[in-house]
Coordinates of all heavy atoms in Angstrom, one line a residue:
M1 N 13.2 3.6 9.6 CA 13.5 4.2 10.9 C 13.0 5.6 10.9 O 13.3 6.4 9.9 CB 15.0 4.1 11.2 CG 15.4 4.8 12.4 SD 17.2 4.7 12.6 CE 17.2 3.8 14.1
S2 N 12.3 6.0 11.9 CA 11.8 7.4 11.9 C 12.8 8.3 12.5 O 13.6 7.9 13.4 CB 10.5 7.4 12.7 OG 10.7 7.0 14.0
V3 N 12.8 9.5 12.1 CA 13.7 10.5 12.6 C 12.9 11.7 13.2 O 12.0 12.2 12.5 CB 14.6 11.0 11.4 CG1 15.5 12.1 11.9 CG2 15.4 9.9 10.8
D4 N 13.3 12.1 14.4 CA 12.6 13.3 15.0 C 13.4 14.5 14.5 O 14.5 14.8 15.0 CB 12.6 13.1 16.5 CG 11.9 14.3 17.2 OD1 11.2 15.0 16.5 OD2 12.0 14.4 18.4
Y5 N 12.8 15.2 13.6 CA 13.5 16.4 13.0 C 13.4 17.6 14.0 O 14.1 18.6 13.8 CB 12.9 16.8 11.7 CG 13.2 15.8 10.6 CD1 12.3 14.8 10.2 CD2 14.5 15.7 10.0 CE1 12.6 13.9 9.2 CE2 14.8 14.8 9.1 CZ 13.9 13.9 8.7 OH 14.2 13.0 7.7
D6 N 12.6 17.5 15.0 CA 12.4 18.6 15.9 C 13.4 18.5 17.1 O 13.6 19.4 17.9 CB 11.0 18.7 16.5 CG 10.0 19.0 15.5 OD1 10.4 19.8 14.5 OD2 8.9 18.6 15.6
A7 N 14.1 17.4 17.2 CA 15.0 17.1 18.3 C 16.3 18.0 18.0 O 16.7 18.2 16.9 CB 15.4 15.7 18.4
P8 N 17.0 18.4 19.1 CA 18.2 19.2 18.9 C 19.3 18.3 18.3 O 19.4 17.2 18.5 CB 18.6 19.6 20.3 CG 17.8 18.8 21.2 CD 16.6 18.3 20.5
R9 N 20.0 18.9 17.4 CA 21.0 18.2 16.7 C 22.3 18.1 17.5 O 22.7 19.0 18.2 CB 21.3 18.9 15.3 CG 20.0 19.0 14.6 CD 20.3 19.2 13.1 NE 19.0 19.3 12.5 CZ 18.7 18.8 11.4 NH1 19.6 18.1 10.7 NH2 17.5 19.0 10.8
V10 N 23.0 17.0 17.3 CA 24.2 16.7 18.1 C 25.3 16.6 17.1 O 25.3 15.9 16.1 CB 24.1 15.4 18.9 CG1 25.4 15.1 19.6 CG2 22.9 15.4 19.8
T11 N 26.4 17.4 17.3 CA 27.6 17.3 16.5 C 28.4 16.1 16.8 O 28.3 15.6 18.0 CB 28.4 18.6 16.6 OG1 28.8 18.7 17.9 CG2 27.6 19.8 16.2
P12 N 29.2 15.6 15.9 CA 30.1 14.5 16.2 C 31.0 14.7 17.5 O 31.3 13.7 18.2 CB 30.9 14.3 15.0 CG 30.1 14.9 13.9 CD 29.4 16.0 14.5
E13 N 31.4 15.9 17.7 CA 32.2 16.2 18.9 C 31.5 16.0 20.2 O 32.0 15.6 21.2 CB 32.8 17.6 18.8 CG 33.8 17.9 17.7 CD 33.1 18.2 16.4 OE1 31.9 18.7 16.4 OE2 33.6 17.9 15.3
E14 N 30.1 16.3 20.2 CA 29.3 16.2 21.4 C 28.8 14.8 21.6 O 28.4 14.5 22.7 CB 28.1 17.1 21.2 CG 28.5 18.6 21.1 CD 27.3 19.5 20.8 OE1 26.2 18.9 20.5 OE2 27.4 20.7 20.9
E15 N 28.9 13.9 20.7 CA 28.4 12.5 20.9 C 29.3 11.8 21.9 O 30.5 12.0 21.9 CB 28.4 11.7 19.5 CG 27.4 12.2 18.6 CD 27.4 11.3 17.3 OE1 28.1 10.3 17.3 OE2 26.6 11.7 16.4
P16 N 28.7 11.0 22.7 CA 29.5 10.2 23.7 C 30.4 9.2 22.9 O 29.9 8.6 22.0 CB 28.5 9.6 24.6 CG 27.2 9.6 23.8 CD 27.3 10.7 22.9
R17 N 31.6 9.0 23.4 CA 32.5 8.0 22.8 C 32.2 6.7 23.5 O 32.3 6.6 24.7 CB 33.9 8.4 23.0 CG 34.3 9.7 22.3 CD 34.4 9.5 20.8 NE 34.7 10.8 20.2 CZ 34.7 10.9 18.9 NH1 34.3 10.0 18.1 NH2 35.0 12.1 18.4
T18 N 31.9 5.7 22.7 CA 31.7 4.3 23.3 C 32.6 3.4 22.6 O 32.7 3.3 21.3 CB 30.2 3.9 23.0 OG1 29.3 4.9 23.5 CG2 29.9 2.6 23.7
G19 N 33.4 2.6 23.3 CA 34.3 1.7 22.8 C 33.7 0.5 22.2 O 32.5 0.1 22.6
L20 N 34.4 -0.2 21.4 CA 33.9 -1.4 20.7 C 33.6 -2.5 21.8 O 32.6 -3.2 21.7 CB 34.9 -1.9 19.7 CG 34.5 -3.2 18.9 CD1 33.2 -2.9 18.2 CD2 35.6 -3.6 18.0
E21 N 34.4 -2.6 22.8 CA 34.2 -3.7 23.8 C 32.9 -3.4 24.6 O 32.2 -4.3 25.0 CB 35.4 -3.7 24.8 CG 36.7 -4.2 24.1 CD 36.5 -5.6 23.5 OE1 35.9 -6.4 24.1 OE2 37.0 -5.8 22.4
E22 N 32.7 -2.1 24.9 CA 31.4 -1.7 25.6 C 30.2 -2.1 24.8 O 29.2 -2.5 25.4 CB 31.4 -0.2 25.9 CG 32.5 0.2 26.9 CD 32.5 1.7 27.1 OE1 31.4 2.3 27.0 OE2 33.5 2.3 27.4
L23 N 30.3 -1.8 23.5 CA 29.1 -2.2 22.7 C 28.9 -3.7 22.6 O 27.7 -4.1 22.6 CB 29.3 -1.6 21.2 CG 29.3 -0.1 21.1 CD1 29.7 0.3 19.7 CD2 28.0 0.5 21.5
K24 N 29.9 -4.4 22.6 CA 29.8 -5.9 22.6 C 29.2 -6.4 23.8 O 28.4 -7.3 23.8 CB 31.1 -6.6 22.3 CG 31.7 -6.4 20.9 CD 33.0 -7.2 20.8 CE 33.5 -7.0 19.4 NZ 34.8 -7.7 19.3
T25 N 29.5 -5.8 25.0 CA 29.0 -6.3 26.2 C 27.5 -5.9 26.5 O 26.8 -6.5 27.2 CB 29.8 -5.8 27.4 OG1 29.9 -4.4 27.4 CG2 31.2 -6.4 27.3
E26 N 27.1 -4.8 25.8 CA 25.7 -4.3 25.9 C 24.7 -5.0 25.1 O 23.6 -4.5 24.9 CB 25.7 -2.8 25.7 CG 26.5 -2.0 26.7 CD 26.4 -0.5 26.4 OE1 25.7 -0.1 25.5 OE2 27.1 0.3 27.1
K27 N 25.1 -6.1 24.4 CA 24.1 -6.7 23.5 C 22.9 -7.2 24.3 O 23.0 -7.6 25.5 CB 24.8 -8.0 22.9 CG 25.7 -7.6 21.8 CD 26.1 -8.9 21.1 CE 27.1 -8.6 19.9 NZ 27.6 -9.8 19.3
S28 N 21.8 -7.0 23.7 CA 20.5 -7.4 24.4 C 20.4 -8.9 24.3 O 20.8 -9.5 23.3 CB 19.3 -6.7 23.8 OG 19.2 -7.0 22.4
P29 N 19.7 -9.5 25.3 CA 19.4 -10.9 25.2 C 18.5 -11.3 24.0 O 17.8 -10.4 23.5 CB 18.8 -11.3 26.5 CG 18.2 -10.0 27.0 CD 19.1 -8.9 26.4
R30 N 18.6 -12.5 23.6 CA 17.8 -13.0 22.4 C 16.3 -12.8 22.8 O 15.9 -13.1 23.9 CB 18.1 -14.4 22.1 CG 19.5 -14.6 21.6 CD 19.7 -15.9 21.1 NE 18.9 -16.1 19.9 CZ 19.0 -17.1 19.1 NH1 19.9 -18.0 19.3 NH2 18.3 -17.2 18.0
R31 N 15.6 -12.4 21.8 CA 14.1 -12.2 22.0 C 13.4 -13.5 21.5 O 13.9 -14.2 20.6 CB 13.6 -11.1 21.1 CG 14.2 -9.7 21.5 CD 13.5 -8.7 20.7 NE 14.4 -7.5 20.7 CZ 14.2 -6.4 19.9 NH1 13.2 -6.5 19.1 NH2 14.9 -5.4 20.0
E32 N 12.3 -13.7 22.2 CA 11.5 -14.9 21.8 C 10.7 -14.5 20.5 O 10.3 -13.4 20.3 CB 10.5 -15.2 22.9 CG 11.2 -15.7 24.2 CD 11.9 -17.1 24.0 OE1 11.4 -17.9 23.2 OE2 13.0 -17.2 24.5
A33 N 10.4 -15.5 19.7 CA 9.6 -15.3 18.5 C 8.2 -15.0 18.9 O 7.6 -15.6 19.8 CB 9.7 -16.5 17.6
I34 N 7.6 -14.0 18.2 CA 6.2 -13.7 18.5 C 5.3 -14.5 17.5 O 5.6 -14.6 16.3 CB 6.0 -12.2 18.2 CG1 6.9 -11.4 19.2 CG2 4.5 -11.8 18.4 CD1 6.9 -9.9 18.9
A35 N 4.3 -15.1 18.1 CA 3.4 -15.9 17.3 C 2.7 -15.0 16.3 O 2.2 -13.9 16.6 CB 2.5 -16.7 18.2
D36 N 2.5 -15.5 15.1 CA 1.7 -14.8 14.1 C 0.3 -14.9 14.4 O -0.3 -15.9 14.8 CB 1.9 -15.5 12.7 CG 3.3 -15.2 12.2 OD1 3.9 -14.2 12.6 OD2 3.8 -16.0 11.3
I37 N -0.4 -13.7 14.3 CA -1.8 -13.7 14.5 C -2.5 -13.6 13.2 O -2.2 -12.9 12.3 CB -2.1 -12.4 15.3 CG1 -1.4 -12.4 16.7 CG2 -3.6 -12.3 15.5 CD1 -1.6 -11.2 17.5
D38 N -3.5 -14.5 13.1 CA -4.2 -14.6 11.8 C -5.1 -13.3 11.6 O -5.8 -12.9 12.5 CB -5.2 -15.8 11.8 CG -5.7 -16.1 10.5 OD1 -5.2 -15.6 9.5 OD2 -6.7 -16.9 10.4
E39 N -4.9 -12.7 10.4 CA -5.6 -11.5 10.1 C -7.2 -11.7 10.1 O -7.9 -10.7 10.5 CB -5.2 -10.9 8.8 CG -3.8 -10.5 8.8 CD -3.3 -10.0 7.4 OE1 -4.1 -9.9 6.5 OE2 -2.1 -9.6 7.3
T40 N -7.6 -12.8 9.7 CA -9.1 -13.0 9.7 C -9.6 -13.0 11.1 O -10.7 -12.6 11.4 CB -9.4 -14.3 9.0 OG1 -8.7 -15.4 9.7 CG2 -9.1 -14.3 7.6
D41 N -8.9 -13.5 12.1 CA -9.3 -13.5 13.5 C -9.4 -12.0 14.0 O -10.4 -11.7 14.7 CB -8.4 -14.2 14.4 CG -8.4 -15.7 14.2 OD1 -9.4 -16.2 13.6 OD2 -7.4 -16.4 14.6
L42 N -8.5 -11.2 13.6 CA -8.5 -9.8 13.9 C -9.7 -9.1 13.3 O -10.4 -8.3 13.9 CB -7.2 -9.1 13.5 CG -6.0 -9.4 14.3 CD1 -4.8 -8.8 13.8 CD2 -6.2 -9.1 15.8
A43 N -10.0 -9.4 12.0 CA -11.1 -8.8 11.3 C -12.4 -9.1 11.9 O -13.3 -8.3 11.9 CB -11.0 -9.1 9.8
E44 N -12.6 -10.4 12.3 CA -13.9 -10.8 12.9 C -14.2 -10.1 14.2 O -15.3 -9.8 14.5 CB -13.9 -12.3 13.1 CG -13.9 -13.0 11.8 CD -13.7 -14.5 12.0 OE1 -13.6 -15.0 13.1 OE2 -13.8 -15.3 11.0
S45 N -13.1 -9.8 15.0 CA -13.3 -9.1 16.3 C -13.4 -7.6 16.2 O -13.7 -7.0 17.1 CB -12.2 -9.5 17.2 OG -11.0 -9.0 16.8
F46 N -13.1 -7.0 15.0 CA -13.1 -5.6 14.8 C -14.5 -5.1 14.5 O -15.2 -5.6 13.6 CB -12.2 -5.2 13.7 CG -12.0 -3.7 13.5 CD1 -11.3 -3.0 14.5 CD2 -12.6 -3.1 12.5 CE1 -11.2 -1.6 14.3 CE2 -12.5 -1.7 12.3 CZ -11.8 -1.0 13.2
E47 N -15.0 -4.1 15.2 CA -16.3 -3.5 15.0 C -16.2 -2.0 14.9 O -15.5 -1.4 15.7 CB -17.3 -3.9 16.1 CG -17.8 -5.3 16.1 CD -18.9 -5.5 17.1 OE1 -19.7 -4.5 17.4 OE2 -18.9 -6.6 17.7
L48 N -16.9 -1.4 13.9 CA -16.9 0.0 13.8 C -17.9 0.5 14.9 O -19.0 0.0 15.1 CB -17.4 0.4 12.5 CG -16.4 0.1 11.3 CD1 -17.1 0.4 10.0 CD2 -15.1 0.8 11.5
P49 N -17.5 1.6 15.6 CA -18.4 2.2 16.6 C -19.7 2.7 16.0 O -19.7 3.5 15.1 CB -17.6 3.3 17.2 CG -16.5 3.6 16.2 CD -16.3 2.4 15.4
G50 N -20.8 2.2 16.5 CA -22.1 2.7 16.0 C -22.5 2.3 14.6 O -23.4 2.9 14.1
A51 N -21.8 1.4 14.0 CA -22.2 1.0 12.6 C -22.6 -0.4 12.6 O -21.7 -1.3 12.5 CB -21.0 1.3 11.7
D52 N -23.9 -0.7 12.5 CA -24.4 -2.0 12.3 C -25.0 -2.1 10.9 O -26.1 -1.7 10.7 CB -25.4 -2.4 13.4 CG -25.9 -3.8 13.2 OD1 -25.2 -4.6 12.5 OD2 -27.0 -4.1 13.7
L53 N -24.2 -2.5 10.0 CA -24.6 -2.6 8.6 C -25.0 -4.0 8.1 O -25.0 -4.2 6.9 CB -23.5 -2.0 7.7 CG -23.0 -0.6 8.1 CD1 -21.8 -0.3 7.2 CD2 -24.1 0.4 7.9
S54 N -25.3 -4.9 9.1 CA -25.5 -6.2 8.7 C -26.8 -6.4 7.9 O -27.0 -7.3 7.1 CB -25.6 -7.1 10.0 OG -26.6 -6.6 10.8
N55 N -27.8 -5.5 8.1 CA -29.1 -5.6 7.4 C -29.1 -4.7 6.1 O -30.2 -4.6 5.5 CB -30.2 -5.3 8.3 CG -30.3 -6.3 9.4 OD1 -30.0 -7.5 9.2 ND2 -30.7 -5.9 10.6
E56 N -28.1 -4.0 5.8 CA -28.0 -3.1 4.7 C -27.7 -3.8 3.4 O -26.9 -4.7 3.4 CB -27.0 -2.0 4.9 CG -27.4 -1.1 6.1 CD -28.7 -0.3 5.9 OE1 -28.9 0.2 4.7 OE2 -29.4 -0.1 6.8
E57 N -28.3 -3.3 2.3 CA -27.9 -3.9 1.0 C -27.4 -2.7 0.2 O -27.8 -1.6 0.2 CB -29.2 -4.4 0.3 CG -29.7 -5.7 0.9 CD -30.9 -6.3 0.1 OE1 -31.0 -6.0 -1.1 OE2 -31.7 -7.0 0.7
L58 N -26.4 -3.1 -0.7 CA -25.8 -2.1 -1.6 C -26.5 -2.2 -2.9 O -26.5 -3.2 -3.6 CB -24.3 -2.3 -1.7 CG -23.6 -1.4 -2.6 CD1 -23.6 0.1 -2.0 CD2 -22.1 -1.8 -2.7
L59 N -27.1 -1.1 -3.3 CA -27.9 -1.1 -4.6 C -27.1 -0.2 -5.5 O -27.0 1.0 -5.3 CB -29.3 -0.6 -4.4 CG -30.2 -1.4 -3.4 CD1 -31.5 -0.7 -3.2 CD2 -30.3 -2.8 -3.9
I60 N -26.6 -0.8 -6.6 CA -25.9 0.0 -7.6 C -26.5 -0.4 -9.0 O -27.0 -1.5 -9.2 CB -24.4 -0.3 -7.6 CG1 -24.1 -1.7 -7.8 CG2 -23.8 0.2 -6.4 CD1 -22.6 -2.0 -8.1
Q61 N -26.4 0.4 -9.9 CA -26.8 0.1 -11.3 C -25.6 -0.1 -12.2 O -24.7 0.8 -12.2 CB -27.6 1.3 -11.9 CG -28.1 1.1 -13.2 CD -28.9 2.3 -13.8 OE1 -28.9 3.3 -13.1 NE2 -29.5 2.1 -14.9
V62 N -25.5 -1.3 -12.8 CA -24.3 -1.6 -13.6 C -24.7 -1.2 -15.0 O -25.7 -1.5 -15.6 CB -24.1 -3.1 -13.6 CG1 -22.9 -3.5 -14.5 CG2 -23.8 -3.6 -12.2
V63 N -23.8 -0.3 -15.6 CA -24.0 0.2 -16.9 C -23.0 -0.5 -17.9 O -21.8 -0.5 -17.6 CB -23.8 1.7 -16.9 CG1 -23.9 2.3 -18.3 CG2 -24.7 2.4 -16.0
P64 N -23.4 -1.0 -19.0 CA -22.5 -1.7 -19.9 C -21.5 -0.6 -20.5 O -21.8 0.6 -20.5 CB -23.3 -2.3 -21.0 CG -24.6 -1.6 -20.9 CD -24.8 -1.1 -19.5
V65 N -20.4 -1.1 -21.1 CA -19.5 -0.2 -21.8 C -20.2 0.5 -22.9 O -20.9 -0.1 -23.7 CB -18.3 -1.1 -22.3 CG1 -17.3 -0.2 -23.1 CG2 -17.6 -1.8 -21.2
Q66 N -20.0 1.8 -22.9 CA -20.6 2.7 -23.9 C -19.8 2.7 -25.2 O -18.7 2.2 -25.3 CB -20.7 4.1 -23.4 CG -21.5 4.2 -22.1 CD -22.9 3.8 -22.2 OE1 -23.7 4.3 -23.1 NE2 -23.4 2.9 -21.3
A67 N -20.4 3.2 -26.3 CA -19.8 3.2 -27.6 C -18.5 4.0 -27.6 O -17.6 3.7 -28.4 CB -20.8 3.8 -28.6
D68 N -18.4 5.0 -26.8 CA -17.2 5.9 -26.7 C -16.2 5.4 -25.6 O -15.3 6.2 -25.2 CB -17.6 7.3 -26.6 CG -18.3 7.6 -25.3 OD1 -18.8 6.7 -24.6 OD2 -18.4 8.8 -24.9
E69 N -16.3 4.2 -25.2 CA -15.4 3.7 -24.1 C -14.8 2.4 -24.6 O -15.3 1.7 -25.5 CB -16.2 3.4 -22.8 CG -16.8 4.7 -22.2 CD -17.7 4.4 -21.0 OE1 -18.3 3.3 -20.9 OE2 -17.8 5.3 -20.2
F70 N -13.7 2.0 -23.9 CA -13.1 0.7 -24.2 C -12.5 0.1 -22.9 O -12.3 0.9 -21.9 CB -12.0 0.9 -25.2 CG -10.8 1.6 -24.7 CD1 -9.6 0.9 -24.3 CD2 -10.7 3.0 -24.7 CE1 -8.5 1.6 -23.8 CE2 -9.6 3.7 -24.2 CZ -8.5 3.0 -23.7
T71 N -12.2 -1.2 -22.9 CA -11.6 -1.8 -21.7 C -10.2 -2.1 -22.1 O -9.9 -2.8 -23.0 CB -12.4 -3.1 -21.4 OG1 -13.7 -2.9 -21.2 CG2 -11.8 -3.8 -20.2
C72 N -9.3 -1.6 -21.2 CA -7.9 -1.8 -21.4 C -7.5 -3.2 -21.1 O -8.0 -3.8 -20.1 CB -7.1 -0.9 -20.5 SG -5.3 -1.1 -20.6
M73 N -6.7 -3.9 -22.0 CA -6.4 -5.3 -21.8 C -5.2 -5.5 -20.8 O -4.8 -6.6 -20.6 CB -6.0 -5.9 -23.2 CG -7.2 -6.1 -24.1 SD -8.3 -7.4 -23.4 CE -9.8 -6.6 -23.0
S74 N -4.7 -4.4 -20.3 CA -3.6 -4.5 -19.4 C -4.1 -4.3 -17.9 O -3.8 -5.1 -17.1 CB -2.5 -3.4 -19.7 OG -1.4 -3.5 -18.8
C75 N -4.8 -3.2 -17.7 CA -5.3 -2.9 -16.3 C -6.8 -3.3 -16.2 O -7.3 -3.3 -15.1 CB -5.1 -1.4 -16.0 SG -6.1 -0.3 -17.1
F76 N -7.5 -3.6 -17.3 CA -8.9 -4.0 -17.3 C -9.8 -3.0 -16.7 O -10.9 -3.3 -16.2 CB -9.1 -5.3 -16.5 CG -8.2 -6.4 -17.1 CD1 -7.1 -6.9 -16.5 CD2 -8.6 -7.0 -18.3 CE1 -6.3 -7.9 -17.0 CE2 -7.8 -8.0 -18.9 CZ -6.7 -8.5 -18.2
L77 N -9.5 -1.7 -16.9 CA -10.3 -0.6 -16.5 C -11.0 -0.1 -17.7 O -10.5 -0.2 -18.8 CB -9.6 0.5 -15.8 CG -8.9 0.2 -14.5 CD1 -8.1 1.4 -14.0 CD2 -10.0 -0.1 -13.5
V78 N -12.2 0.5 -17.6 CA -12.9 1.1 -18.7 C -12.5 2.5 -18.8 O -12.6 3.3 -17.8 CB -14.5 0.9 -18.5 CG1 -15.2 1.6 -19.6 CG2 -14.9 -0.5 -18.4
H79 N -12.1 2.9 -20.0 CA -11.6 4.3 -20.2 C -12.4 4.9 -21.4 O -13.0 4.2 -22.2 CB -10.1 4.3 -20.6 CG -9.2 3.8 -19.5 ND1 -8.8 4.6 -18.5 CD2 -8.6 2.6 -19.3 CE1 -8.0 3.9 -17.7 NE2 -7.9 2.7 -18.2
H80 N -12.4 6.2 -21.5 CA -12.9 6.9 -22.6 C -12.0 6.7 -23.8 O -10.8 6.5 -23.6 CB -13.1 8.4 -22.3 CG -13.9 9.2 -23.3 ND1 -13.2 9.9 -24.3 CD2 -15.2 9.3 -23.5 CE1 -14.1 10.4 -25.1 NE2 -15.3 10.1 -24.6
R81 N -12.5 6.9 -25.0 CA -11.8 6.7 -26.2 C -10.6 7.6 -26.3 O -9.6 7.3 -26.9 CB -12.6 6.9 -27.5 CG -13.5 5.8 -27.7 CD -13.0 4.9 -28.8 NE -13.9 3.8 -29.0 CZ -13.6 2.6 -29.2 NH1 -12.4 2.2 -29.1 NH2 -14.5 1.7 -29.4
S82 N -10.7 8.8 -25.7 CA -9.5 9.7 -25.7 C -8.3 9.2 -25.0 O -7.2 9.7 -25.2 CB -10.0 11.1 -25.1 OG -10.3 10.9 -23.7
Q83 N -8.5 8.1 -24.1 CA -7.4 7.6 -23.4 C -6.7 6.4 -24.2 O -5.8 5.8 -23.7 CB -7.8 7.1 -22.0 CG -8.3 8.2 -21.1 CD -7.2 9.1 -20.8 OE1 -6.1 8.7 -20.4 NE2 -7.4 10.4 -20.9
L84 N -7.2 6.1 -25.4 CA -6.7 5.0 -26.1 C -5.3 5.3 -26.6 O -5.1 6.3 -27.3 CB -7.6 4.7 -27.3 CG -7.2 3.5 -28.2 CD1 -7.3 2.2 -27.4 CD2 -8.1 3.4 -29.4
A85 N -4.3 4.5 -26.3 CA -2.9 4.7 -26.7 C -2.6 3.8 -27.9 O -2.0 4.3 -28.9 CB -2.0 4.3 -25.6
R86 N -3.0 2.6 -28.0 CA -2.8 1.7 -29.1 C -3.8 0.6 -29.1 O -4.3 0.2 -28.1 CB -1.3 1.2 -29.2 CG -1.0 0.1 -28.2 CD 0.4 -0.4 -28.4 NE 0.7 -1.3 -27.3 CZ 0.8 -2.6 -27.4 NH1 0.6 -3.2 -28.6 NH2 1.2 -3.3 -26.4
E87 N -3.9 0.0 -30.3 CA -4.8 -1.2 -30.5 C -4.0 -2.2 -31.3 O -3.4 -1.9 -32.4 CB -6.0 -0.8 -31.3 CG -7.0 -1.9 -31.4 CD -8.3 -1.5 -32.0 OE1 -8.6 -0.2 -32.2 OE2 -9.2 -2.3 -32.3
K88 N -3.8 -3.4 -30.8 CA -3.0 -4.4 -31.5 C -3.8 -5.7 -31.4 O -4.2 -6.2 -30.3 CB -1.7 -4.6 -30.8 CG -0.8 -5.6 -31.4 CD 0.5 -5.7 -30.7 CE 1.4 -6.8 -31.3 NZ 2.6 -6.9 -30.6
D89 N -4.1 -6.3 -32.6 CA -4.8 -7.5 -32.7 C -6.2 -7.5 -32.0 O -6.6 -8.4 -31.3 CB -4.0 -8.7 -32.1 CG -2.7 -8.9 -32.8 OD1 -2.7 -8.6 -34.1 OD2 -1.8 -9.4 -32.2
G90 N -6.9 -6.3 -32.1 CA -8.2 -6.2 -31.5 C -8.1 -5.9 -30.0 O -9.2 -5.7 -29.4
R91 N -6.9 -5.8 -29.4 CA -6.8 -5.5 -28.0 C -6.4 -4.0 -27.9 O -5.6 -3.6 -28.6 CB -5.7 -6.4 -27.4 CG -6.1 -7.8 -27.3 CD -5.0 -8.6 -26.7 NE -5.5 -9.9 -26.3 CZ -4.8 -10.7 -25.5 NH1 -3.7 -10.4 -25.0 NH2 -5.4 -11.9 -25.3
K92 N -7.1 -3.4 -26.9 CA -6.9 -1.9 -26.8 C -6.2 -1.7 -25.4 O -6.4 -2.4 -24.5 CB -8.2 -1.2 -26.8 CG -8.9 -1.4 -28.1 CD -10.3 -0.9 -28.1 CE -11.0 -1.2 -29.5 NZ -12.4 -0.9 -29.5
Y93 N -5.3 -0.7 -25.5 CA -4.5 -0.4 -24.3 C -4.5 1.1 -24.0 O -4.5 2.0 -24.9 CB -3.0 -0.8 -24.5 CG -2.8 -2.2 -24.7 CD1 -2.8 -2.8 -26.0 CD2 -2.7 -3.1 -23.6 CE1 -2.7 -4.2 -26.2 CE2 -2.5 -4.5 -23.8 CZ -2.6 -5.0 -25.1 OH -2.4 -6.3 -25.3
C94 N -4.7 1.5 -22.7 CA -4.8 2.9 -22.3 C -3.4 3.6 -22.3 O -2.4 2.9 -22.3 CB -5.5 3.0 -21.0 SG -4.6 2.4 -19.6
R95 N -3.5 4.9 -22.2 CA -2.2 5.7 -22.1 C -1.4 5.4 -20.9 O -0.2 5.4 -20.9 CB -2.6 7.2 -22.2 CG -3.1 7.6 -23.5 CD -3.4 9.1 -23.5 NE -3.9 9.5 -24.8 CZ -4.3 10.7 -25.0 NH1 -4.3 11.7 -24.1 NH2 -4.8 11.0 -26.2
E96 N -2.1 5.2 -19.7 CA -1.4 4.9 -18.5 C -0.5 3.7 -18.6 O 0.6 3.6 -18.1 CB -2.3 4.9 -17.3 CG -2.9 6.2 -17.0 CD -3.8 6.1 -15.7 OE1 -3.5 5.3 -14.9 OE2 -4.7 6.9 -15.6
C97 N -1.1 2.6 -19.2 CA -0.4 1.3 -19.3 C 0.7 1.4 -20.3 O 1.7 0.6 -20.2 CB -1.4 0.2 -19.6 SG -2.5 -0.1 -18.2
E98 N 0.6 2.2 -21.3 CA 1.6 2.3 -22.3 C 2.7 3.3 -22.0 O 3.7 3.3 -22.7 CB 0.9 2.8 -23.6 CG 0.1 1.7 -24.3 CD 0.9 0.5 -24.7 OE1 1.9 0.6 -25.4 OE2 0.5 -0.6 -24.2
S99 N 2.6 4.1 -21.0 CA 3.7 5.0 -20.6 C 4.7 4.4 -19.7 O 4.6 3.3 -19.2 CB 3.1 6.3 -20.0 OG 2.4 5.9 -18.8

């Protein structure tokens, strides 16, 4: 629930007194269930303004793991050797996963 911190504050003495019977009678009617909208339908209809990237190719160079790097067996990220926390049975783990 969001709170408007800029709104003037009301002390308990200034709050209107509402009886329990009044609150019971003010119940809102039952709402109808809202149908779920498939996210893929929304994604297909969404277009970025002025961005037609359908004919673009992403060109990247994949570099293998270097001699001073290792792959963490917990998060599967490649880290520098300085981030090595422990090695057990040939498996290496980074400091972030071990903390």
Side-chain angles (χ1 to χ4, degrees):
M1 174 183 243
S2 63
V3 177
D4 183 10
Y5 291 102
D6 294 330
R9 304 201 182 217
V10 179
T11 61
E13 295 81 27
E14 295 173 352
E15 288 184 8
R17 299 285 181 190
T18 307
L20 181 60
E21 295 302 320
E22 291 177 32
L23 292 174
K24 286 182 180 178
T25 58
E26 291 180 8
K27 283 187 179 177
S28 61
R30 293 186 69 165
R31 297 183 199 172
E32 295 294 322
I34 299 173
D36 290 334
I37 299 173
D38 191 15
E39 292 177 5
T40 55
D41 292 339
L42 289 175
E44 290 173 0
S45 64
F46 185 74
E47 285 187 34
L48 294 174
D52 181 19
L53 304 174
S54 59
N55 295 327
E56 295 294 322
E57 290 185 26
L58 180 61
L59 301 175
I60 59 170
Q61 181 181 6
V62 178
V63 179
V65 177
Q66 303 297 307
D68 61 344
E69 297 176 332
F70 71 97
T71 302
C72 176
M73 289 289 116
S74 181
C75 64
F76 303 104
L77 294 175
V78 176
H79 296 279
H80 189 264
R81 286 259 182 224
S82 64
Q83 296 295 314
L84 182 63
R86 74 175 170 107
E87 184 174 353
K88 181 179 179 184
D89 300 329
R91 294 180 164 196
K92 299 172 182 168
Y93 298 92
C94 68
R95 289 182 182 174
E96 288 184 31
C97 293
E98 288 296 307
S99 61

